[in-house]
Amino acid sequence: MADRLEQSKALSSETRIAILDWLRRPEHFLHQETGDPHEIGVCVTLITEKLDMAQPTVSRHLELLRRAEFLSVRKIGRWAFFKRNEVGISDYKEWLNEHL
């Protein structure tokens, strides 16, 4: 089970909320050439472009979301593709509903 405090911290950023929202509807990234973003996830490069931030900053946001179990990552070659972890998100929502 994920650390609930870490999960809450992961959601304390407008940038991370935006990433989760975009990945909920990966059609924002249909121009991805490597594969269908619905199936393999979205390349960190495209997320970086959409945020218009430095790649290390975006990677840090993605890593916090991954550690919170809100994202999963798939490596293909040297590229990392991120998808929402619907099970982890649902689990957090359930916990939040039970405790608030």
Side-chain angles (χ1 to χ4, degrees):
M1 180 192 306
D3 179 296
R4 300 304 184 189
L5 182 57
E6 289 301 315
Q7 287 182 307
S8 297
K9 287 179 184 177
L11 297 176
S12 68
S13 162
E14 288 182 32
T15 298
R16 292 189 288 275
I17 296 292
I19 291 168
L20 287 171
D21 187 43
W22 294 333
L23 295 180
R24 184 168 50 92
R25 293 166 292 151
E27 53 272 7
H28 291 283
F29 303 98
L30 288 179
H31 59 288
Q32 177 171 282
E33 294 178 14
T34 305
D36 184 350
H38 292 94
E39 291 178 28
I40 67 169
V42 176
C43 180
V44 66
T45 302
L46 296 180
I47 297 169
T48 299
E49 289 172 4
K50 189 159 181 73
L51 286 169
D52 193 28
M53 293 181 169
Q55 191 273 330
T57 303
V58 174
S59 290
R60 177 75 177 137
H61 285 299
L62 293 168
E63 179 59 18
L64 289 170
L65 289 168
R66 189 200 59 76
R67 285 195 347 234
E69 298 182 6
F70 295 144
L71 293 181
S72 61
V73 63
R74 179 177 178 182
K75 300 276 185 157
I76 301 175
R78 62 185 188 124
W79 305 106
F81 296 83
F82 288 86
K83 278 179 88 163
R84 284 170 53 110
N85 176 1
E86 297 300 341
V87 172
I89 292 169
S90 179
D91 180 60
Y92 179 74
K93 286 179 179 179
E94 277 183 34
W95 175 82
L96 201 56
N97 283 331
E98 290 173 12
H99 292 87
L100 287 183

